[in-house]
Amino acid sequence: MARLAPALLMASVLLVTTCGVTACGGGSTGPVWTGATQGGPSASGGSSSPGTTASASTGAASTPSGSASASGEATPSPAATSAEWKTYTDPGKTISFDLPAQWIVQTAAPAEGASAGSLNIEVKTADGSFVAALKTGLPVASPAPCDSANARSYTVLNSVPVDLPFTDGPGVITPRFVFRVIQGYKFFGSFGLTGVATAAQDGKACQLMNIVPGPPGVGGYSFADVTEVTAPAPSARVAPLASFDSLAQASDYVHTSAKFADAQRMIMSLKFTPKN
């Protein structure tokens, strides 16, 4: 895929930054995912935790189950996604999502402060590299006060509505898949679902939350690389955040990275199974 010319690339950055995490209008269309046609993974290459369901599927230009309606301000990453996919369902059959056939699903101990029976599901690539975690039963706290001295500039480079359950309330927005960059000693990017407004002023914030206030029985849930994003100190551990030397480089990543396209397609396919 050809890279965008610098002028067009920065224009795209500025457009999405202006839109933020609210719709800019325009028609609604479903996401179209282009599958890679060569070098695709084998449907038997992935593994899942015992007691889970993982069914394989193939096909290019396919739309994932539970797909979102994309507003005019942003669309799914145009990079090609993996050619073969499978569906993960947790043992309790409460959630499901699609993922590349060679990616691995592992269960972990519930997150600190999570309610009883909550999920903590980590997704990794075939070589064991962490991609994202799905966590449920999380407490959703009000944004902490932000001292202007600690606020950092942030930019929204991708923002697509998703059809997922949420509990409305003060500071709650319709759930979206987002890729946001916060500026520290570098530009640090994070992706995932969000359903809470960012406490920001003049384009700056102290933290970005990748969490959705879910309905009763689900609680707050996060399907993201990290649940909370702050600009790390030079001595802090950066991973799994992606780091960039410029906003243009971060925007190029959103447009051309196959791994990011796979992660976005996976997260946007999340479904909750209604309880009888």
Side-chain angles (χ1 to χ4, degrees):
M1 179 178 295
R3 295 179 181 269
L4 294 174
L8 293 177
L9 184 59
M10 290 310 301
S12 174
V13 172
L14 292 174
L15 172 63
V16 179
T17 302
T18 302
C19 294
V21 293
T22 58
C24 293
S28 295
T29 58
V32 177
W33 305 97
T34 302
T37 57
Q38 295 181 349
S42 165
S44 61
S47 62
S48 300
S49 301
T52 63
T53 301
S55 55
S57 62
T58 62
S62 60
T63 301
S65 58
S67 60
S69 295
S71 296
E73 87 279 19
T75 58
S77 169
T81 59
S82 294
E84 298 183 2
W85 288 68
K86 60 188 178 184
T87 299
Y88 170 84
T89 303
D90 73 297
K93 301 188 184 302
T94 59
I95 58 93
S96 65
F97 58 86
D98 303 331
L99 70 159
Q102 285 193 336
W103 284 12
I104 302 164
V105 177
Q106 296 178 334
T107 56
E112 184 177 354
S115 59
S118 60
L119 300 174
N120 187 358
I121 300 167
E122 296 184 350
V123 181
K124 301 178 180 180
T125 61
D127 63 5
S129 299
F130 177 83
V131 178
L134 170 60
K135 303 176 183 180
T136 64
L138 300 175
V140 182
S142 299
C146 179
D147 185 340
S148 60
N150 297 324
R152 297 290 181 268
S153 297
Y154 79 99
T155 305
V156 182
L157 293 180
N158 189 294
S159 177
V160 187
V162 289
D163 185 13
L164 286 169
F166 69 102
T167 296
D168 203 357
V172 174
I173 61 174
T174 302
R176 314 176 73 83
F177 174 90
V178 294
F179 182 87
R180 297 176 289 187
V181 174
I182 191 165
Q183 186 174 357
Y185 66 92
K186 281 194 171 186
F187 295 86
F188 297 94
S190 173
F191 61 81
L193 299 175
T194 189
V196 294
T198 300
Q201 185 174 0
D202 298 328
K204 294 184 177 182
C206 288
Q207 62 180 2
L208 309 174
M209 299 299 296
N210 293 328
I211 191 170
V212 177
V218 175
Y221 61 90
S222 174
F223 200 0
D225 49 7
V226 293
T227 304
E228 178 180 332
V229 186
T230 58
S235 59
R237 182 176 181 270
V238 173
L241 297 179
S243 62
F244 307 95
D245 293 326
S246 66
L247 278 177
Q249 189 180 80
S251 182
D252 187 57
Y253 170 79
V254 169
H255 283 82
T256 63
S257 169
K259 183 178 178 180
F260 172 75
D262 278 343
Q264 183 179 17
R265 176 175 172 177
M266 174 184 72
I267 292 172
M268 289 177 60
S269 74
L270 176 64
K271 284 184 176 181
F272 287 89
T273 304
K275 294 185 178 180
N276 297 327

